[in-house]
């Protein structure tokens, strides 16, 4: 089974999830100054930019895997669907975080959503690379391990950010926002890819 | 007429239908605890996860057919559009089921939508394989029959789940949720595909 | 300039326009029977099914043109964007028609939107086929003329349906709904295509 | 890293952003004449048509770059994501402009969004063409410079339109609407492309 339609469906879901985040931004009407009214929306603006970035990180991770994944079986289709289910849930978690940004419950729901997305991405990679059944056979062990490590690291980082929410939810926000920055730093995979 | 744009339109419709399901989840604001307020939304959460899975099952079915369907005529275009019309209706049926989950009417509308989607999927396959006019000629009879059987079986199962709603709507919910699990079990098509 | 990304953008816009039509369907909550409440929504249901079909007819028309259009210039890009602008306006016109179905003004706005879409589709074809500048050179004159005729015929039919709204808006609805049926009837283009 | 999935995600985001613009158009119900009620929505209608055009201009710019950009690195992925973040913000800025069209603040937010999109598009081109690292090596200097110039010119024009909003917001509207017209005028890139 070729993978092009899985990628098309996934790109579609990501594109929509990224775009409907903005539907949550609503400027209240009222007699006060427009800037003041926009100012009241900063937690939603933060959550919107943050969630867009998170979806970007997840999309890049998904994108990277499919450079190596060459075919799909039914299990991979379902792992991918479960991953996309979590991706579609992120706009809801983002809206919650934007509205109840001082609640540890909202932070835990948001963090768990991101961790769950990471877990499915990891399951996706582990299933595809087991005995190299769905990836090109010449892929190196070091690449398999480094992609696995990237995902695990991201999940641990998000778990820390989530736990930090029990002390101060603003600390979680800052740590969540730092995730893309962490990923921007070049790692082994990039080096491997640019060497090719 | 090649099929790539039909697949692109279909993937787009599926991706959007899957993603807008989440727009129905709305946490009521209020003075009570956030967890309590989220707790009131469990029927909507169930309906969201269920409907995502249903769309996943339908998408996989559509995906499988187009591995064999090699060209399209105007009738196939219209069967496909009718199928997509039902697919776009599912988020509405899902919202209804999430809000009025104890009403047999909502269960019947939801079940009928899923059955209608199956019926169009069946019409799609029957039209494409009649005299092998739109599929690759070397496709085996057993594959044609097994895909047909899968769809009929799914429709019958959904019909049973819908009828069960007249006794207890929760029984329908459980049976609906079991549908993807049933499909996850490997069948003849998978075996055929993995043998290739 | 190749045309694949124009087709991708167009398929995306069509897929979304088709799917957001359903967002207009809202079941009022209340103490009355669910079926009764759904019954109050029949004009919206009609408008939804009708508009999905209209978008289907337009998508098929667009799809057919791009089987012959092999490259694009900047003018074609802009004609296509104007066409897509009208396509995105259709869900608004559909919502209007669903709510104010007994108003000739709503019928005129709906009809004009469909006619405008046809006009841009016609401009698209006329521009692409002028001196065969953007289509494959071996395309026959009869195909060029028959596609042009199909669009003009559709526009005239829609114009009649719109004018009928000044006498009885329900007559317009019926005529609008008949449009896809008219297109389902096989025409010269189909014969030509199936002969190939 | 090939670019086809970046283009697919971008086309998806553009298609959705273009289509959800129309969700902002809402006809108020009431006892007055329908035409009168639609008449009250003209600023929203203007903002919708304008923003669709702006997205069209940006999409064409993006489309043009990817005719030359042949591969992607991680930096290009992120520049592209930042560009798409701004693109998804445009429907929000459009809704603001449609509602508070007489406020210079709304004009500044709208103008800044368009300028930011241009800035990321410029960064995208500058990064891709530096030492011709991500574009085909035979691309001429004049093409690189002319695409860069087009973007800078568009940003300057939008900046002027934004500043004009402090005197009269309607002047900004007119100038914003003129942007696509300016781009419609043929330039050096077109000539180059049509000569090929």
């Amino acid at each position: 089974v070729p993978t092009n339609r899985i990628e098309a469906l996934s790109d579609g879901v990501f594109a929509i999830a990224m775009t409907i985040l903005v539907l949550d931004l609503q400027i209240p009407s009222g007699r006060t100054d427009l800037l003041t009214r926009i100012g009241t929306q900063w937690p939603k603006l933060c959550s919107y930019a943050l969630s867009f970035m998170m979806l970007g990180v997840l999309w890049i991770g998904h994108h990277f895997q499919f450079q190596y994944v060459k075919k799909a079986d039914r299990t991979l289709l379902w792992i991918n669907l479960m991953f996309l289910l979590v991706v579609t849930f992120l706009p809801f978690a983002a809206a919650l975080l934007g509205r109840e940004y001082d609640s540890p419950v909202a932070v835990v729901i948001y963090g768990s959503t991101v961790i769950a997305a990471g877990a499915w991405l990891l399951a996706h990679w582990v299933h595809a690379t087991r005995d190299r059944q769905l990836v090109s056979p010449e892929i190196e062990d070091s690449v398999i391990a480094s992609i696995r490590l990237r995902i695990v690291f991201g999940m641990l980082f998000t778990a820390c950010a989530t736990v930090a929410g029990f002390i101060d939810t603003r600390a979680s926000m800052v740590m969540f926002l730092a995730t893309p920055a962490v990923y921007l730093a070049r790692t082994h995979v990039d080096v491997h890819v640019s060497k090719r």
Side-chain angles (χ1 to χ4, degrees), chain A:
Chain A
V1 185
T3 63
N4 60 318
R5 277 195 70 188
I6 306 177
E7 295 176 65
L9 184 79
S10 307
D11 287 344
V13 167
F14 269 104
I16 302 150
M18 281 169 165
T19 316
I20 62 172
L21 288 172
V22 87
L23 295 180
D24 197 47
L25 291 179
Q26 300 284 352
I27 298 306
S29 51
R31 295 208 156 255
T32 37
D33 179 39
L34 182 56
L35 264 183
T36 317
R37 281 181 281 145
I38 292 170
T40 63
Q41 303 292 306
W42 70 263
K44 288 195 175 183
L45 269 163
C46 272
S47 174
Y48 154 68
L50 164 62
S51 304
F52 191 96
M53 287 301 165
M54 282 291 180
L55 287 170
V57 168
L58 291 169
W59 179 78
I60 290 177
H62 191 261
H63 182 83
F64 253 81
Q65 289 197 13
F66 274 99
Q67 285 187 257
Y68 301 106
V69 175
K70 292 303 168 209
K71 53 191 184 216
D73 59 8
R74 208 164 263 267
T75 310
L76 201 83
L77 280 181
W78 276 102
I79 292 177
N80 202 65
L81 280 174
M82 294 309 295
F83 172 65
L84 293 180
L85 174 60
V86 178
V87 166
T88 64
F89 192 72
L90 202 71
F92 170 73
L96 202 66
L97 189 67
R99 219 179 55 183
E100 323 244 353
Y101 54 96
D102 48 2
S103 154
V105 173
V107 169
V108 166
I109 289 172
Y110 191 88
S112 307
T113 307
V114 175
I115 293 168
W120 285 110
L121 210 49
L122 186 63
H124 198 263
W125 187 238
V126 167
H127 177 74
T129 56
R130 182 180 301 136
D131 307 326
R132 288 175 170 68
Q133 56 183 348
L134 302 171
V135 292
S136 37
E138 68 268 22
I139 181 174
E140 286 166 47
D141 277 333
S142 62
V143 174
I144 295 181
S146 88
I147 289 186
R148 214 167 44 210
L149 209 74
R150 275 178 84 85
I151 305 174
V152 171
F153 168 76
M155 287 167 70
L156 286 176
F157 189 83
T158 312
C160 293
T162 307
V163 168
F166 288 104
I167 302 159
D168 191 339
T169 55
R170 275 166 302 178
S172 299
M173 277 285 214
V174 170
M175 283 180 78
F176 283 145
L177 277 165
T179 314
V182 168
Y183 274 102
L184 262 176
R186 285 179 156 270
T187 64
H188 179 246
V189 173
D190 293 77
V191 176
H192 172 84
V193 167
S194 58
K195 263 194 299 191
R196 283 195 310 181

